[in-house]
Amino acid sequence: MTAASQSSTSFSLRTVLIVPYVALVLGLAIVIGLLSYRAGSRAVLTVSEHLLLETVGRIGQAIDRHVVGSGATLEAAFPNGMVAPEAIESDMHNLRTRFWIATSLHIDPNNYVYYGNKNGQAIGLFRHSMQDGELRVKIKPEEMRTKYRFNGIDGELKFASRETKLFDPRERPWYKAAKANLKDTWTSVYIDFGTQDLVATRARRVLDSRGETAGVVATDMSLRSLNDFVRKLKVSPNGLAFIIEPNGNLIASSVTQNVKPLPDGSYVRISAADSGNALQSAIYTEVQHALSTAEGPSGARTLSFYTEDGQKIHVAFDRIVDSAGLEWINVVAMPRKDFMGGVIENVMLNVLISVIAALIAVAVGFRILNWVANDLKRLSVAAGMVGDGQLDAPVGIHRRDEIGELAKSFELMQHRLQTDRLTGLSNRENFVRRLENKITEAKHDKRAQPFAILFIDLNGFKFINDQYGHDIGDRALIEISERLKANIRAGDLVARYAGDEFVVMLNGVADREALEPIRQHIEDALHAPWLGEATMQGQSAQLLGGAIGDAYFPTDGDDAISLLKAADRNMYLNKFGARKT
């Protein structure tokens, strides 16, 4: 090999050291980007599915409001079990009052309630606003219906107009449908002649004193506000929502109309399959198939499918059924690209930033990376120890950046996990863990000092809680906690065990004779008058001390459970005077 060839294939030491590291860092950045994309896509898919189900739920609530409102309107107009009058004119005032109240419950959409009887009489109340109403009355079967305008529930009736076409309630579809049913019933959704909006009528038969059908009460439910609600939903840039009947006819849609005009000036309803929106038609086909093959419990469900042009569509749908025969299906859908486009852009941006940051990190040096990595490793180790039950695992990180704040938050979490929220004392779990550690230490180290525990149950606490309320009871517990902390020795541990029970771990107690004065000192502190008695409306009240039970290690037990049981048992013996000293 010539010198020239050797020169052309040789590398500097800097290149040998830097190039592999840069390649590794860049490779890691790309891998992290891919993993971020995978994790991000899963997270976004989950969130998007929840969003779809939540939107389906919102539509369901809007439908439920209409349906429930219609039922409440009929109930207010003619309460179930109320006997119908023989003639409308004999009960005109009461009918008008109840109909006014009924249309006040849900003026949008149930602003019209009406009643027709078997004699051909009819009365209806239409609300133009909260104050303006229109009473439509027909007393004689052969006469035309008359309309009166009035203001307020008992406003004076003023003649408005008289219809030119004979109105016979007995020939109307709502009357015939309700007459043949024992419960509320819905008519088919139809197009209102005046507004060209979709309307459904809910009707119920009304009985006379003999239990026979006297007439039918009904209310119109305009679906205009429901359609407006769906049209205003912002699912996603290319998402959509719609409500259909089982036959596919649209109730409402965010992307198409639900009715269309014909050349003769009339209007017809639009089916989701023939709506002119290819995506809506495809979604309808998939939902119909899912409903026809569905097994198991009903409720909101999701599905995904691919369109002919390769788009993946995520769909959520629910079937709404009520006891009066209404059956609608509400659907929400969005293309996958709507929510994944941002994820892809974000991942690419993250990869680019990661590459730049990696190069800068190489330039700055490995020391900073090691510094950060070491502290993160400490946090990770501490988190693992907490997961294993060592809540007091030291973190040992003192920084002024985000990692330092994270370490402070971690230490605060450790403190809260070990502390009773009300009193600030150690909690039960922390005390038991410390006691177990103390026992383990004593078993493995013969030089370890003997110790004892006290179990304290307050006297009279239930009376304070019952007599003065839980706020005063909480203040009593806080004061007792302060007394216990002030009257134990340095190195001892006091904890709130449960409710009005406290425990104390006494270190360095040579024998029971040494334990007695400590126990007596704490008992005297508990018997002192309670400083909070002045808040008890001048009544004389004080804590009556507490019963204290003690247990000595290892005489009374060689594990935490047996020691606590022994102390608890001795506490009850002391409390009821059964323990011999």
Side-chain angles (χ1 to χ4, degrees):
M1 184 180 291
T2 64
S5 63
Q6 289 179 352
S7 176
S8 63
T9 57
S10 63
F11 299 96
S12 67
L13 182 60
R14 178 178 299 176
T15 303
V16 172
L17 292 176
I18 295 298
V19 170
Y21 180 74
V22 171
L24 176 62
V25 171
L26 294 178
L28 286 174
I30 294 173
V31 171
I32 291 173
L34 293 175
L35 292 176
S36 298
Y37 172 77
R38 183 179 180 184
S41 62
R42 288 182 177 178
V44 171
L45 283 172
T46 300
V47 172
S48 299
E49 182 174 301
H50 289 168
L51 174 62
L52 289 173
L53 291 173
E54 180 183 349
T55 307
V56 163
R58 289 178 59 195
I59 297 175
Q61 290 174 356
I63 295 173
D64 186 65
R65 175 182 174 273
H66 282 65
V67 173
V68 172
S70 299
T73 299
L74 290 186
E75 182 64 18
F78 255 107
N80 195 18
M82 175 176 281
V83 176
E86 292 293 334
I88 287 177
E89 65 270 20
S90 65
D91 200 30
M92 179 77 72
H93 179 74
N94 289 332
L95 287 169
R96 175 184 167 185
T97 300
R98 292 203 309 272
F99 284 17
W100 177 273
I101 295 172
T103 53
S104 298
L105 298 177
H106 300 277
I107 195 168
D108 180 19
N110 303 113
N111 65 334
Y112 185 31
V113 63
Y114 44 95
Y115 168 72
N117 65 19
K118 62 184 179 181
N119 299 321
Q121 295 181 312
I123 180 172
L125 195 150
F126 183 89
R127 293 287 289 278
H128 294 280
S129 68
M130 290 301 296
Q131 290 299 320
D132 294 327
E134 180 178 293
L135 191 66
R136 303 171 181 179
V137 182
K138 176 183 177 178
I139 300 300
K140 297 180 180 180
E142 67 275 8
E143 70 180 9
M144 303 300 176
R145 190 165 53 172
T146 304
K147 299 179 181 180
Y148 300 91
R149 295 293 294 266
F150 63 99
N151 185 267
I153 188 170
D154 289 321
E156 180 184 357
L157 297 178
K158 298 179 180 179
F159 175 81
S161 64
R162 182 172 285 106
E163 295 179 347
T164 58
K165 187 177 180 180
L166 183 64
F167 172 79
D168 189 343
R170 297 167 296 185
E171 299 300 320
R172 307 303 296 171
W174 52 268
Y175 189 98
K176 294 179 179 180
K179 182 181 178 181
N181 281 276
L182 299 177
K183 299 180 181 179
D184 289 13
T185 185
W186 288 97
T187 65
S188 300
V189 176
Y190 59 93
I191 302 173
D192 183 83
F193 176 77
T195 63
Q196 282 74 53
D197 292 323
L198 294 181
V199 177
T201 298
R202 183 170 184 154
R204 188 183 73 214
R205 68 174 186 169
V206 182
L207 305 180
D208 58 20
S209 59
R210 297 179 297 276
E212 300 176 354
T213 301
V216 172
V217 62
T219 181
D220 287 348
M221 180 177 72
S222 172
L223 304 180
R224 180 176 183 178
S225 60
L226 188 60
N227 189 45
D228 291 342
F229 171 79
V230 173
R231 293 186 69 84
K232 292 177 182 178
L233 281 176
K234 300 299 181 183
V235 181
S236 71
N238 298 289
L240 55 87
F242 59 91
I243 305 171
I244 55 174
E245 293 183 285
N247 62 6
N249 284 339
L250 286 168
I251 300 294
S253 173
S254 64
V255 291
T256 64
Q257 299 295 327
N258 52 15
V259 297
K260 64 180 179 180
L262 295 177
D264 61 1
S266 62
Y267 284 79
V268 295
R269 298 185 61 188
I270 298 175
S271 169
D274 303 320
S275 62
N277 185 289
L279 180 57
Q280 183 169 259
S281 300
I283 293 169
Y284 164 70
T285 301
E286 294 295 330
V287 170
Q288 285 291 84
H289 177 71
L291 288 172
S292 65
T293 58
E295 295 182 359
S298 61
R301 284 173 284 174
T302 59
L303 62 86
S304 299
F305 71 97
Y306 287 93
T307 60
E308 293 182 355
D309 58 359
Q311 285 194 82
K312 188 172 185 179
I313 309 297
H314 296 271
V315 183
F317 62 96
D318 192 11
R319 192 162 64 100
I320 308 298
V321 180
D322 82 335
S323 59
L326 179 141
E327 182 177 357
W328 291 349
I329 303 159
N330 73 84
V331 185
V332 179
M334 67 170 73
R336 186 174 187 269
K337 65 180 182 180
D338 278 8
F339 51 85
M340 287 305 298
V343 173
I344 295 174
E345 293 176 2
N346 188 56
V347 168
M348 295 303 296
L349 180 61
N350 285 340
V351 170
L352 178 61
I353 294 174
S354 298
V355 171
I356 296 174
L359 294 175
I360 294 175
V362 171
V364 172
F366 304 115
R367 185 173 181 180
I368 296 178
L369 293 176
N370 290 335
W371 180 42
V372 173
N374 289 338
D375 283 344
L376 289 176
K377 186 175 181 180
R378 288 183 181 179
L379 274 174
S380 177
V381 171
M385 295 175 70
V386 170
D388 292 335
Q390 301 181 43
L391 300 182
D392 54 353
V395 179
I397 296 177
H398 305 285
R399 300 169 60 132
R400 296 183 179 180
D401 57 8
E402 290 80 2
I403 295 179
E405 291 297 322
L406 180 60
K408 290 179 182 177
S409 299
F410 188 88
E411 290 172 342
L412 179 59
M413 179 195 71
Q414 289 177 295
H415 175 71
R416 288 177 175 174
L417 288 174
Q418 301 176 73
T419 305
D420 177 65
R421 183 169 297 181
L422 175 65
T423 63
L425 299 177
S426 291
N427 59 21
R428 176 175 181 165
E429 291 78 10
N430 185 41
F431 181 86
V432 172
R433 185 175 56 258
R434 294 277 292 273
L435 179 58
E436 290 173 343
N437 292 340
K438 187 75 173 176
I439 293 172
T440 301
E441 178 185 350
K443 288 181 178 180
H444 291 84
D445 186 358
K446 295 182 179 181
R447 297 174 298 175
Q449 293 182 335
F451 66 96
I453 64 170
L454 301 179
F455 199 104
I456 303 169
D457 181 65
L458 301 182
N459 296 330
F461 180 73
K462 185 177 184 302
F463 170 81
I464 291 176
N465 251 352
D466 294 343
Q467 187 72 16
Y468 305 106
H470 290 283
D471 289 341
I472 297 297
D474 287 347
R475 290 169 60 183
L477 290 175
I478 292 171
E479 182 170 332
I480 289 299
S481 301
E482 294 298 325
R483 290 188 192 182
L484 290 173
K485 285 192 292 186
N487 287 278
I488 62 173
R489 305 165 306 166
D492 293 342
L493 175 66
V494 60
R496 184 183 178 193
Y497 194 73
D500 60 345
E501 297 175 342
F502 296 83
V503 285
V504 181
M505 184 161 60
L506 303 172
N507 295 309
V509 180
D511 50 35
R512 290 193 182 277
E513 292 183 1
L515 174 62
E516 180 57 28
I518 301 173
R519 191 191 67 78
Q520 187 61 49
H521 178 71
I522 293 176
E523 186 173 343
D524 292 340
L526 294 176
H527 278 84
W530 181 36
L531 298 179
E533 66 181 288
T535 65
M536 298 183 179
Q537 304 175 356
Q539 300 183 42
S540 175
Q542 67 178 39
L543 288 179
L544 303 178
I548 302 178
D550 56 67
Y552 193 79
F553 177 84
T555 306
D556 296 318
D558 60 354
D559 57 61
I561 295 177
S562 60
L563 276 176
L564 287 168
K565 285 184 176 180
D568 185 27
R569 182 175 61 253
N570 289 335
M571 179 273 293
Y572 273 100
L573 292 174
N574 287 334
K575 187 170 186 177
F576 296 105
R579 186 183 181 190
K580 297 180 180 180
T581 57

